[in-house]
Amino acid sequence: NIMYDLLDLLKKEGIETTQLKHLIRDVNPWHDFLALLELKRTIKSWQPDIIFLNSSKAGFLGSFVSKFMIHDSCSKVIYRIGGWSFNDPGSKWKKLFWIGLERLSARWKDIIIVNNKHDLDQAKRFKIRPRNKVQLIYNGLDVYKTNFMDREEARLKLFEKTARQFGKIFNAGTIIGTIANFYPSKGLEYLIDTAEYFKNNDDIVFTIVGEGAERPHLEKLIIEKGLKKKVLLLGQLTDAFRLLPAFDIFILPSIKEGFPWVIIEAMTAKLPVIATRVGAVPEIIEDTKNGMLVEPAHSEHIAGKIQELLNNDHLRQEIGIQAHQTVLFKFPLEKMIREIESVIDN
């Protein structure tokens, strides 16, 4: 869990933290009202120079409190969005609702940071205008501090996990996998559909590392398609990214993304990546150069790209090398930190 990893890290560094128990992910009028009061108490107590908000709900509630509930607040309000909520799968009214909230609450924020040009263009199109500006800052990664396991150790860890969970070892020659929260936006059902194309190939296994509310739906789909020995839901694993070298091919089947960290982690591990053309992905991957792009919700396209990579060892290796170079030179962590610090200081 990234949040608790961050809290542990801050604690080790002696940095004081406060957790808001009522600021939960889902919309809940009662908890949201109590979260407003929690936020008000926390901001009045801390009197921060900067209020840095990092999710759609926190962005709305936090900026609302700063604007209307703390009259002497001089805090700069910065909102860093991972991906607009109105791009999530859902009904038209729900999308319009979130567009309206983002447009309204933008007036209570000084700066909005987006992590891809697609979201920047949408901010302009939907007139989401903060008091100062909308700033594009790409995510970054330090390729020298990824601390991946080596391939054999990582594969052994995965095989041990499958043995404990399923009572047998799936010692497949080729592992095709992903790491994702089990949310509708991650499009994991399309990865399961993709596995059906390789149903008769015992050398290939699909592994999905992660957890979430979609698990019952995904398990039902796997059983219905007769893929219990083909698609393995491994649950949440500590430091899952360290296991990336165990994979032969990494798949991102999302139907909505902002800038997915896992993509640049997989690219840093020199994996050939097949990803859907959503959010920042086309800004990261140049098709057939440092990865492969497919349209979202098209399992047959993913299957075709997998087969292309399986048939061409040279292409697979070359894409992995180019992927690593892309992260090294285009998305370094130092650049992201420098740009965020500039926004904070100015």
Side-chain angles (χ1 to χ4, degrees), residues 190 194 251 253 274 294 298-307:
Y190 299 108
T194 299
I251 312 291
I274 301 170
V294 295
H298 283 77
S299 303
E300 69 278 10
H301 294 174
I302 300 175
K305 295 290 188 180
I306 290 172
Q307 195 61 60

Side-chain angles (χ1 to χ4, degrees), residues 234-281:
L234 297 187
Q236 197 162 329
L237 299 177
T238 304
D239 291 337
F241 76 94
R242 296 191 64 217
L243 297 172
L244 282 166
F247 296 162
D248 294 285
I249 299 172
F250 186 87
I251 312 291
L252 186 93
S254 303
I255 53 179
K256 176 255 181 177
E257 283 289 352
F259 186 118
W261 287 98
V262 73
I263 279 279
I264 55 174
E265 288 174 336
M267 292 170 73
T268 301
K270 298 183 181 177
L271 291 179
V273 173
I274 301 170
T276 46
R277 202 183 296 270
V278 293
V281 174

